[in-house]
Amino acid sequence: MRYLALSCLVMAAAAQSADAASPAEVRGKAGMVASRSALASEVGADVLRRGGNAIDAAVATGFALAVTYPSAGNIGGGGFMVIRLADGSVVTNDHRERAPAAADHDMFLDDDGDVIQGLSTHSHLAVGVPGTVAGLLDVHERYGQLERSAVIDPAIALARDGFVVDDDLAGQFRRHMPRLERYPASRAVFARPDGAPLAAGDRLVQSDLADTLGRIREHGHDGFYRGATAELLVAEMERGEGLITLEDLASYESVWRDPIRGTYRGHEIVSMPPPSSGGVLLVQMLNMLEPHDIGGFGYGSAAATHRIIEAERRAYADRAHHLGDTDFYPTPIATLVDKAYAAQRFADFDPARASRSEDIGHGTIPNESPDTTHVSVMDGDGNTVAYTTTLNLSYGSKIVVPGAGFLLNNEMDDFSIKPNTPNAYGLLGDEANAIAPGKRMLSSMTPTIVLRDGEPLLVTGSPGGSTIITTVLQVVMNVIDHGMDLSDAVGKPRFHHQWQPDRVMVEPFGFSPDTVAALEAMGHEGIDTIRWGRGIGDANSVMRRDGELLGVSDPRGAGRAVGL
Ligand code: GLY
């Protein structure tokens, strides 16, 4: 019922747009931006109208999200961008947070070696050195067409003039105020003077954030990583016994990395390499599934679902053991994305029986909403951007830097803080993803571009912590295996398995009763219809079809696609 209600909301929003093609699809010819925030998508589309390319639009949308969608949009976190340029070349930019130089392998353990609960998620020690500003500026400088001011000014205006809080945002402030209000600067931004959370209809004005964005516009990297902003951030670290120093900030750099590439049924898959696990797992799972007639079995069939679950189980088991920051730990990427390896890894697959995730202790159900956010952009020239960015959990550490107005991430929890101990998403890890000074924590963010005949077909990605990768997998398979329209490919119910804990999470109406019965008869245990949040993922996506651009905002979120 909730899902249907959300679909109706999106239908209403799309119906207001003159170019709505279907309840959830927006059409355009010259460009398309799909993000979690209608205001941010409008900023991106406006940049395209002013002659910017997809990179300008993605960067402007990114800065705007830091203002209009503060639970995940950010300048105090990190992200990944996959860019396919009109000339056919593909690059990725890694601006994931790094562990501060003073970070230590066991920094979240007590003297007995036990995890100190909450330290890696809700403390100043939880904060990784932010990468977003370096990434957005580097990407813009290398590939953008417009001046820096053109991609930051809209965000400054939104922060300085404010905007009206809607029901969606008001609900977030209400839910997260108990943790936000522990920090006076956070309360000052997201609550009324009497301490009540800002409500729908109130105006959210972020003057300190506008000043910080202004310094970034004027001074580029130095507007964030040196000078006043850096000093304000480090002063807050010192107040809260955090680790980030001026030197950590001054030495932060984004990294250009070769994408992960794979193929699936004649399509090319281009996605993010480590320190994201997303691209590797996506390609690995597609490789395992390619020999199977998923389309023939049919969407939602027990046969297809069984195969997808078994592929997910094996890929996430590999993630826990093998994956981490490749600058610090040797990761067998080439093997993991190799079709021969997938065949070998799937050789024990039994079409009639579920296998078991064994040996390592159970993970936990996330007790707080994961909140990353994804932007998909295409322009009329074929430049395509998949951009996913995060503070980790909703509102990150909940700490707004006093005087600078932006939230700090709690990304340190994405490290494996103790071997085989679940993080906030129930994900396990080992030495490959252990904490080390300057290392980047493993991510699941999966910004992805699918090419057909060398041309962009689909750009997608999602929030959702560990469920990001399986969300992207299902959107891609819905398009390629089932031939769905983009609105269906994004809107259809999703399910998720991550090896440990050994259970299948499924959205309401995701499995028919006879599919559940068939899966249980095969031995799949713990099939669990999720009751929390808005569902699995929020895959704001863009697709090119017959020379036209189609944009979809995921009905699970309150975003918007804007086309021109
Ligand atoms: N913080 C969520 C992720 O990067 O996977």
Side-chain angles (χ1 to χ4, degrees):
M1 190 62 98
R2 175 180 49 78
Y3 174 80
L4 289 176
L6 282 166
S7 298
C8 291
L9 280 179
V10 169
M11 286 165 67
Q16 289 165 9
S17 167
D19 53 359
S22 72
E25 265 179 14
V26 173
R27 288 182 178 169
K29 286 231 180 274
M32 182 69 64
V33 181
S35 87
R36 177 60 171 78
S37 156
L39 286 169
S41 294
E42 290 287 358
V43 164
D46 201 46
V47 162
L48 291 174
R49 279 184 209 107
R50 290 163 189 249
N53 61 18
I55 293 87
D56 293 306
V59 169
T61 307
F63 278 119
L65 281 167
V67 180
T68 62
Y69 190 61
S71 61
N74 67 83
I75 56 173
F80 300 128
M81 197 177 281
V82 177
I83 304 169
R84 189 266 186 192
L85 295 160
D87 67 6
S89 56
V90 186
V91 294
T92 78
N93 184 272
D94 160 12
H95 44 275
R96 183 69 162 163
E97 300 91 329
R98 293 170 54 178
D104 174 79
H105 188 278
D106 297 331
M107 63 188 273
F108 297 116
L109 307 184
D110 64 18
D111 291 343
D112 296 328
D114 295 326
V115 171
I116 304 169
Q117 294 303 324
L119 204 60
S120 66
T121 50
H122 293 101
S123 78
H124 288 68
L125 292 176
V127 184
V129 182
T132 296
V133 173
L136 291 181
L137 293 179
D138 290 349
V139 161
H140 176 255
E141 192 172 305
R142 193 180 277 203
Y143 297 115
Q145 286 179 180
L146 302 183
E147 294 294 312
R148 186 160 71 215
S149 57
V151 295
I152 303 184
D153 279 346
I156 295 175
L158 282 163
R160 193 170 305 289
D161 302 341
F163 61 94
V164 176
V165 172
D166 61 12
D167 285 332
D168 176 49
L169 217 44
Q172 288 192 18
F173 296 157
R174 241 186 350 264
R175 284 194 298 282
H176 294 286
M177 195 48 67
R179 283 198 192 272
L180 286 165
E181 69 185 2
R182 292 179 190 176
Y183 303 101
S186 307
R187 190 177 54 228
V189 174
F190 300 114
R192 293 172 174 170
D194 66 1
L198 290 181
D202 287 349
R203 206 166 184 84
L204 174 55
V205 176
Q206 301 172 81
S207 308
D208 289 342
L209 178 57
D211 289 345
T212 299
L213 289 165
R215 288 191 289 274
I216 296 168
R217 179 189 55 186
E218 292 311 309
H219 306 294
H221 287 66
D222 287 355
F224 186 86
Y225 292 100
R226 297 173 195 271
T229 312
E231 281 158 19
L232 288 165
L233 197 163
V234 170
E236 177 58 19
M237 283 290 121
E238 287 168 358
R239 259 192 301 277
E241 299 183 6
L243 299 181
I244 297 173
T245 62
L246 289 174
E247 173 55 25
D248 284 322
L249 291 167
S251 61
Y252 185 90
E253 288 180 349
S254 82
V255 183
W256 296 97
R257 299 189 190 275
D258 291 334
I260 294 291
R261 291 175 182 268
T263 59
Y264 186 63
R265 304 192 200 286
H267 296 73
E268 193 179 348
I269 311 295
V270 182
S271 193
M272 195 67 208
S276 177
S277 60
V280 171
L281 262 69
L282 176 65
V283 169
Q284 189 183 359
M285 291 189 286
L286 290 171
N287 285 345
M288 286 189 245
L289 293 166
E290 195 172 41
H292 299 262
D293 186 12
I294 301 294
F297 293 133
Y299 172 83
S301 63
T305 306
H306 173 51
R307 282 160 176 78
I308 295 169
I309 291 170
E310 292 301 319
E312 292 174 350
R313 191 195 307 278
R314 286 160 178 76
Y316 276 82
D318 279 0
R319 180 193 197 276
H321 184 69
H322 291 299
L323 290 180
D325 183 347
T326 43
D327 295 344
F328 285 73
Y329 196 88
T331 300
I333 298 178
T335 302
L336 291 173
V337 300
D338 185 51
K339 288 192 192 290
Y341 173 77
Q344 174 212 319
R345 194 78 174 88
F346 218 54
D348 62 351
F349 167 74
D350 182 341
R353 294 296 308 162
S355 52
R356 305 290 290 267
S357 304
E358 291 180 334
D359 299 337
I360 300 171
H362 288 279
T364 53
I365 301 166
N367 59 8
E368 206 187 326
S369 49
D371 210 348
T372 297
T373 193
H374 177 79
V375 182
S376 295
V377 186
M378 284 194 196
D379 67 24
D381 295 328
N383 297 298
T384 304
V385 179
Y387 178 45
T388 314
T389 186
T390 188
L391 291 165
N392 195 19
L393 301 178
S394 275
Y395 298 88
S397 64
K398 318 291 188 287
I399 302 166
V400 165
V401 177
F406 62 90
L407 279 154
L408 293 167
N409 67 81
N410 58 353
E411 218 72 64
M412 292 294 283
D413 188 64
D414 270 354
F415 278 118
S416 174
I417 62 174
K418 181 180 177 184
N420 302 323
T421 300
N423 73 358
Y425 306 108
L427 287 167
L428 304 178
D430 209 333
E431 209 45 43
N433 188 33
I435 301 172
K439 189 174 175 182
R440 287 159 149 90
M441 57 295 287
L442 189 61
S443 171
S444 299
M445 292 188 284
T446 315
T448 297
I449 299 171
V450 177
L451 306 169
R452 186 167 60 197
D453 301 326
E455 294 300 320
L457 171 71
L458 172 71
V459 50
T460 190
S462 179
S466 55
T467 67
I468 292 173
I469 315 169
T470 54
T471 293
V472 172
L473 174 76
Q474 287 165 87
V475 173
V476 169
M477 292 180 74
N478 285 348
V479 169
I480 296 178
D481 287 287
H482 303 299
M484 289 185 197
D485 285 345
L486 187 61
S487 54
D488 282 336
V490 170
K492 287 281 185 210
R494 299 184 183 123
F495 61 92
H496 172 76
H497 193 288
Q498 61 182 47
W499 177 56
Q500 293 284 14
D502 190 353
R503 61 174 204 146
V504 184
M505 287 161 45
V506 59
E507 291 183 330
F509 312 111
F511 295 156
S512 65
D514 57 356
T515 296
V516 172
L519 291 170
E520 287 178 343
M522 289 181 214
H524 289 284
E525 291 174 356
I527 298 175
D528 189 8
T529 302
I530 59 167
R531 308 268 172 226
W532 42 263
R534 289 169 168 265
I536 298 174
D538 182 16
N540 303 303
S541 305
V542 175
M543 191 168 166
R544 182 187 295 274
R545 191 182 62 202
D546 302 329
E548 196 171 46
L549 301 178
L550 306 172
V552 163
S553 65
D554 195 318
R556 297 161 186 80
R560 186 172 299 173
V562 179
L564 59 151

